[in-house]
Structures are given as C-alpha cells and as structure tokens.
Amino acid sequence: MNATTPSFPSGSHAPAGGVANAEVVNARDSEALKAARLYLCTDARRDRGDFAEFVDAAFAGGVDIIQLRDKNIEAAEELDLLAVLKEVAVRHGKLWAVNDRADIAVLSGAPVFHIGQKDLPLGAARTLVNGNAAIGLSSHTAEQVDAALAATAGPSGLDYFCVGPVWATPTKPGRAAVGPDLVKYAAEASRRAADPVPWFAIGGIDHGNVHQVVEAGARRIVVVRAITEAPDPAAAAASLLDALDAAGS
C-alpha cells in the first residue's frame, strides 16, 4: 500500500469522518486480521522519544497489529500519537489499535478496538465505534473464553479475543498468571466452535518461552517487552515470527 495519511500539527485532530480517516480499512472484512500472528502493545516511549521510528521498525520486522496502550498520557497526546501510528500502519499496509477508550477509537478512526472484561460491554462498544472496526476482548478464565467464542456471531459480534496473561507481567500488575493450561483450553474450545475467530495468547511471552504457548495450541501472540525493550525492534519481531514458524512446524 503506497497511500499515506496527511499529517496534522500537534494539538490538532481531524474529525472522525474527515480526510485523516480516509485510509480506515474495514478490519472486520479484512483478511489482515485473520492472518495476523504478531500483535504488539507499546507505550508512548516518552523516555526514548522515538515512537514513530519504533513502530516503523516493528511493522517492518513483521508485526501485524500495533496497539498504543499508555495510561500515563492525556487524550490529546494519545490522538497525536495515534495519527503517527496510523500513518505508519497505512504505509506498511498493517492494522493498528486503540485500547479501552471508545471515544479515542472513534476520533482516531481506529480499525481495531480492544476492551477488557471490566471495560465497555461488547454491545455498547459496537454501538459506539465505527461499524467497520474490529473489536477484541481480553479473557482470563475458561468461562470467559467460552463467552468470547459464543459472542462472535452476527454483525454485532466479537472479532478476536486474547487469552492470558500466560505468565506474570509488569504491564498487568496484580493480575494472576493463567499458565499454558488456559491456552490449551482455548485451542480446544476454538477447534470445537462452529464459527471461531482469531485468538491470541498474551502475557509475559518472549523469545525464551514462545515455543511453550505454541505447543499449548496458540498460533498468534501478543507481546510487549519482547519488542519494546529490544535493541533492534525489527529483528526482535522477525525472530518471534521465526519462532512461531519453527515451533508450529
């Protein structure tokens, strides 16, 4: 994809229906979500000041979706960063995501919106966001996995879900690790489902343990530090994809 998104000066934001959102894809119908294997969550990288360069390198290395998740930034700054993320994602032909806040998702024109168990209910989120936006949900128990699989039918349904945290992670302090067993459960439940959607293992996954989640049945992963703390984000992403391929072969 060669199209690029116009940039906007800091502090200014185009409306949801404006030119800044001209490149919004229908993520629900896109093969990109179904084919996605590597999903990255990153903060604003304030300490490094290299957000644009970082997301560009991550996409270049093979990341399929990048979600901006930073609880320490205000809405205006988040919208500015999402405009940057969008421009880079469009250039690479990849997807990008907003976490938790439906208002930010609408204003930024995000093609992917992620919610947690204590965030907006799926029906409310679907009412608020663009009808073309894919919605994902976190799941932490077998019951929540079952509920996610049951919520996929119809135009108002769920588009993907995450299972975890597989291992304890500082990005989710206080959240108990679920271990590979829940990944195994999700894999079996998905195989039995009549209309399964993509699902990702998440939580503490890195180069040293990715083979364990693949052996448990995961074919898609969400990572944070495995790429955000890597000296070469592109190489780290490529290495994770190689590990997914090797462990799944």
Side-chain angles (χ1 to χ4, degrees):
M1 183 179 295
N2 296 320
T4 58
T5 303
S7 60
F8 292 85
S10 177
S12 67
H13 312 287
V19 65
N21 293 313
E23 297 294 339
V24 173
V25 299
N26 185 338
R28 304 200 74 192
D29 289 340
S30 171
E31 290 299 315
L33 180 61
K34 297 175 184 177
R37 294 188 298 157
L38 186 55
Y39 191 144
L40 170 65
C41 294
T42 180
D43 64 9
R45 296 181 71 84
R46 277 177 163 178
D47 56 336
R48 298 172 179 85
D50 64 347
F51 183 79
E53 295 80 5
F54 170 75
V55 296
D56 184 69
F59 279 135
V63 170
D64 299 296
I65 307 171
I66 295 181
Q67 178 191 124
L68 174 59
R69 185 172 70 196
D70 195 322
K71 303 295 186 180
N72 298 313
I73 58 176
E74 300 295 335
E77 182 179 0
E78 185 170 358
L79 286 167
D80 285 336
L81 289 168
L82 288 171
V84 173
L85 177 57
K86 175 180 178 177
E87 188 277 327
V88 178
V90 167
R91 178 155 40 84
H92 284 275
K94 300 295 184 69
L95 295 172
W96 55 281
V98 166
N99 183 54
D100 291 349
R101 292 191 56 172
D103 56 339
I104 297 294
V106 170
L107 288 170
S108 64
V112 180
F113 179 51
H114 191 85
I115 53 177
Q117 290 290 325
K118 296 183 179 180
D119 297 324
L120 285 172
L122 174 60
R126 181 60 69 198
T127 298
L128 292 171
V129 301
N130 186 312
N132 293 335
I135 296 181
L137 176 67
S138 299
S139 61
H140 317 296
T141 66
E143 292 76 17
Q144 290 173 0
V145 168
D146 290 341
L149 285 167
T152 61
S156 61
L158 195 65
D159 298 290
Y160 75 91
F161 64 97
C162 296
V163 177
V166 183
W167 292 285
T169 169
T171 62
K172 290 292 183 181
R175 176 84 68 187
V178 300
D181 283 347
L182 188 61
V183 176
K184 293 178 183 178
Y185 181 88
E188 288 295 330
S190 182
R191 278 192 285 270
R192 294 193 305 267
D195 186 24
V197 294
W199 62 275
F200 299 77
I202 185 173
I205 299 171
D206 57 28
H207 297 81
N209 59 30
V210 62
H211 66 283
Q212 295 183 48
V213 294
V214 175
E215 289 169 1
R219 295 297 178 265
R220 303 172 181 87
I221 58 172
V222 181
V223 300
V224 183
R225 291 171 297 152
I227 295 179
T228 62
E229 296 184 1
D232 186 337
S239 178
L240 285 167
L241 286 172
D242 287 344
L244 283 173
D245 290 339
S249 62

